[in-house]
Amino acid sequence: MATVTHLTTVGMLSLPLWAQVPLGVVAGFGIGVVAAIMGVAGGELLIPTIVLLFAADIKTAGSLSLLVSLPTMLVAFARYSRDGSFAVLGGLLVGVFSDLVLIPVLAVILLVSSAKLARHD
């Protein structure tokens, strides 16, 4: 479908809400199954589905994909933190740099990134 819409002038699906909801549920289930089997996050499938099925722009679709992935990322982060899996990376960085250096550097990176994102059209 993405190839067809790229090569031709096919508009987005303009389905009524009563049709979008069940199609969205079926697409979400299918994306979840494929993502679980392949071991990927599913954004590769979720973004085109949102764009084509719900006629959303690409920025909105990408943001929604990240928002959908956020709970999974938070749970994974909590479990890996509990297991101590981050201790290796953190231990290596703290061994080279002090936390008095790492925390302000991270804060500056996040502030610059958020400023660039806020100015982006």
Side-chain angles (χ1 to χ4, degrees):
M1 183 65 135
T3 304
V4 171
T5 58
H6 180 72
L7 298 175
T8 61
T9 316
V10 176
M12 301 297 167
L13 296 174
S14 66
L15 299 172
L17 184 62
W18 64 266
Q20 284 182 344
V21 171
L23 285 174
V25 169
V26 169
F29 181 77
I31 290 169
V33 167
V34 170
I37 290 171
M38 295 177 61
V40 296
E44 302 85 5
L45 303 171
L46 189 59
I47 293 172
T49 302
I50 293 170
V51 169
L52 295 173
L53 186 61
F54 298 104
D57 65 310
I58 194 75
K59 289 181 183 179
T60 302
S63 299
L64 286 172
S65 176
L66 287 174
L67 186 63
V68 166
S69 300
L70 188 61
T72 304
M73 290 186 283
L74 291 175
V75 169
F77 180 76
R79 287 189 178 176
Y80 282 128
S81 294
R82 197 173 357 154
D83 290 347
S85 298
F86 291 124
V88 174
L89 177 62
L92 291 175
L93 291 176
V94 171
V96 176
F97 300 103
S98 167
D99 60 342
L100 295 173
V101 174
L102 288 176
I103 292 173
V105 168
L106 176 62
V108 168
I109 290 171
L110 291 174
L111 286 172
V112 170
S113 297
S114 62
K116 289 177 90 174
L117 182 65
R119 285 194 311 239
H120 192 279
D121 290 331

